Amino acid sequence: PEEILSHCDYQSIIGIWMSVFNRNQISISLFQKTYFLNQDLIRDFCKVSNIIFTDQLIQPSRENKSLSYQAIKLLSRINREVPRYIGQDINPIRADMAQYFHDNFLHFPVYQASKFEFDRFENYYHRSDEWIRKEFFPEKEMLWDKSKDTYRESEDERFSNILTELEEEMVKIFAQVWVNKVSQINQLKKTSLPQ
């Protein structure tokens, strides 16, 4: 939890907004599918924003696709070989790499936190969540709905964060093949462009 404090400390984030806007100018909603209008984020956004939702509205494609845990684990290791950023700029060699891993590791499960991880996260943000509940959702007993599906009860070797020696070697080979492929494509583009 400490690593992502700035992303999940909603009390601090709301506090920043409240330092600029009056409380009645801020609309706080819970970002949990069960709270969206018809469990649809776009429809819910339209309602809150007073936009009339019609079937003629062009809906964006889903951009933030969940990666399998195996894809996340391998990509995080590949980041050492082919970094996502060079300085402040996105590394052009990384083009479509996340999509490649998404598409080719679909048969692996997405990550589900263990009960220990879930409890640690929940305890870490309890004070912030409780403040939000009291300030904006006093009618709720708990801020977030919980279900058994929120975490896994037992350890699962599929979610080990340790790469095997073979996986380590495969990552290095993949990274080199990827860099070579993208470099060759870029070179071909340069040579085929009219002068």
Side-chain angles (χ1 to χ4, degrees), residues 60-112:
S61 61
R62 187 169 173 211
E63 291 295 320
N64 193 6
K65 298 174 184 168
S66 297
L67 292 172
S68 71
Y69 182 65
Q70 188 69 20
I72 291 169
K73 186 167 78 167
L74 293 172
L75 266 174
S76 68
R77 175 58 184 85
I78 285 172
N79 288 341
R80 289 187 245 155
E81 304 291 327
V82 186
R84 175 125 170 86
Y85 293 94
I86 299 174
Q88 298 292 320
D89 300 322
I90 292 179
N91 185 348
I93 290 178
R94 289 286 299 246
D96 300 325
M97 189 182 284
Q99 185 66 47
Y100 179 86
F101 274 84
H102 174 269
D103 295 347
N104 289 285
F105 287 87
L106 286 172
H107 57 287
F108 288 94
V110 296
Y111 186 72
Q112 187 176 29

Side-chain angles (χ1 to χ4, degrees), residues 129-142:
D129 285 354
E130 186 59 14
W131 177 84
I132 293 167
R133 185 193 68 76
K134 286 179 180 176
E135 289 292 318
F136 299 97
F137 305 98
E139 72 287 352
K140 292 181 64 58
E141 223 173 279
M142 295 185 324

Side-chain angles (χ1 to χ4, degrees), residues 2-195:
E2 296 86 357
E3 298 85 26
I4 56 173
L5 176 62
S6 62
H7 298 294
C8 297
D9 183 5
Y10 300 118
Q11 180 180 359
S12 295
I13 294 167
I14 293 169
I16 293 168
W17 283 96
M18 289 176 73
S19 70
V20 177
F21 298 99
N22 293 328
R23 183 186 164 119
N24 61 350
Q25 294 175 299
I26 298 173
S27 175
I28 304 297
S29 298
L30 296 176
F31 193 86
Q32 194 168 21
K33 194 173 184 176
T34 55
Y35 296 117
F36 300 154
L37 176 66
N38 299 330
Q39 296 192 359
D40 183 315
L41 176 61
I42 303 295
R43 288 177 188 268
D44 192 72
F45 177 82
C46 288
K47 178 184 171 219
V48 171
S49 305
N50 293 320
I51 298 170
I52 298 170
F53 183 89
T54 68
D55 291 332
Q56 284 74 39
L57 281 177
I58 299 171
Q59 294 208 36
S61 61
R62 187 169 173 211
E63 291 295 320
N64 193 6
K65 298 174 184 168
S66 297
L67 292 172
S68 71
Y69 182 65
Q70 188 69 20
I72 291 169
K73 186 167 78 167
L74 293 172
L75 266 174
S76 68
R77 175 58 184 85
I78 285 172
N79 288 341
R80 289 187 245 155
E81 304 291 327
V82 186
R84 175 125 170 86
Y85 293 94
I86 299 174
Q88 298 292 320
D89 300 322
I90 292 179
N91 185 348
I93 290 178
R94 289 286 299 246
D96 300 325
M97 189 182 284
Q99 185 66 47
Y100 179 86
F101 274 84
H102 174 269
D103 295 347
N104 289 285
F105 287 87
L106 286 172
H107 57 287
F108 288 94
V110 296
Y111 186 72
Q112 187 176 29
S114 67
K115 175 136 178 42
F116 172 78
E117 292 166 323
F118 179 85
D119 289 344
R120 184 170 170 235
F121 189 90
E122 190 173 63
N123 290 336
Y124 192 83
Y125 292 107
H126 176 75
R127 187 179 314 155
S128 172
D129 285 354
E130 186 59 14
W131 177 84
I132 293 167
R133 185 193 68 76
K134 286 179 180 176
E135 289 292 318
F136 299 97
F137 305 98
E139 72 287 352
K140 292 181 64 58
E141 223 173 279
M142 295 185 324
L143 186 60
W144 304 108
D145 290 342
K146 294 180 192 170
S147 72
K148 222 35 173 144
D149 299 336
T150 308
Y151 55 83
R152 57 187 155 87
E153 287 286 345
S154 59
E155 288 304 312
D156 187 331
E157 65 185 42
R158 295 175 303 170
F159 299 121
S160 167
N161 63 354
I162 299 169
L163 290 178
T164 65
E165 189 176 329
L166 177 61
E167 287 172 325
E168 283 282 351
E169 289 305 312
M170 295 302 291
V171 161
K172 290 176 186 172
I173 292 168
F174 174 84
Q176 191 58 53
V177 168
W178 188 274
V179 168
N180 290 344
K181 176 196 93 147
V182 172
S183 297
Q184 288 174 354
I185 290 170
N186 289 339
Q187 190 60 38
L188 284 171
K189 287 179 181 177
K190 285 179 188 175
T191 57
S192 64
L193 290 175
Q195 299 290 326

